[in-house]
């Protein structure tokens, strides 16, 4: 599944817009999480959120998610919420674009 921050995918045509998909995860954090360890954890947590969003999009029949955006916020002193959302769509290869590339 293509997951992009852009509003379109070069060489693809959107054939159906299925609506917004959203995933929210919360993770406990510790004051000891700093430096490279925190960066690695944040990367893993974002990946978890994207995986959940992709599952939601696939459940609606999508093969791509466009305009993906992230957000995060602290929830109290020891929790973090990470959310990701985008537009679930069905795309197909644009035959005219494929001809231009060859």
């Amino acid at each position: 599944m293509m997951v992009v921050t852009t509003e379109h995918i070069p060489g693809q045509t959107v054939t159906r817009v299925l609506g917004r998909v959203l995933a929210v995860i919360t993770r406990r954090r510790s004051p000891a999480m700093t430096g490279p360890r925190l960066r690695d954890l944040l990367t893993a947590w974002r990946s978890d959120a994207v995986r959940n969003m992709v599952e939601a999009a696939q459940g609606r029949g999508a093969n791509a998610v466009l305009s993906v955006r992230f957000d995060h916020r602290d929830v109290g002193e020891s929790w973090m919420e990470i959310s990701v959302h985008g537009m679930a769509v069905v795309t197909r290869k644009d035959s005219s674009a494929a001809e231009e590339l060859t």
Side-chain angles (χ1 to χ4, degrees):
M1 171 166 305
M2 294 289 295
V3 176
V4 299
T5 59
T6 57
E7 294 179 5
H8 68 281
I9 301 170
Q12 300 281 319
T13 298
V14 173
T15 60
R16 285 184 24 224
V17 175
L18 303 170
R20 189 173 79 126
V21 285
L22 169 72
V24 177
I25 63 167
T26 55
R27 296 292 188 261
R28 188 169 182 79
R29 61 186 174 92
S30 159
M33 291 182 196
T34 59
R37 176 159 163 67
L38 179 58
R39 183 190 63 232
D40 293 345
L41 283 171
L42 289 171
T43 299
W45 294 347
R46 279 185 169 216
S47 293
D48 290 345
V50 169
R51 188 173 26 261
N52 291 348
M53 181 189 65
V54 164
E55 288 174 5
Q58 288 173 329
R60 295 174 78 173
N63 66 355
V65 182
L66 307 179
S67 302
V68 173
R69 302 292 184 264
F70 286 94
D71 194 13
H72 72 276
R73 69 182 181 106
D74 292 332
V75 181
E77 292 185 20
S78 58
W79 290 88
M80 178 177 278
E81 173 189 82
I82 298 173
S83 65
V84 60
H85 62 93
M87 188 61 62
V89 298
V90 175
T91 66
R92 66 169 166 74
K93 280 192 176 188
D94 184 354
S95 59
S96 63
E99 291 171 7
E100 291 174 16
L101 295 175
T102 58

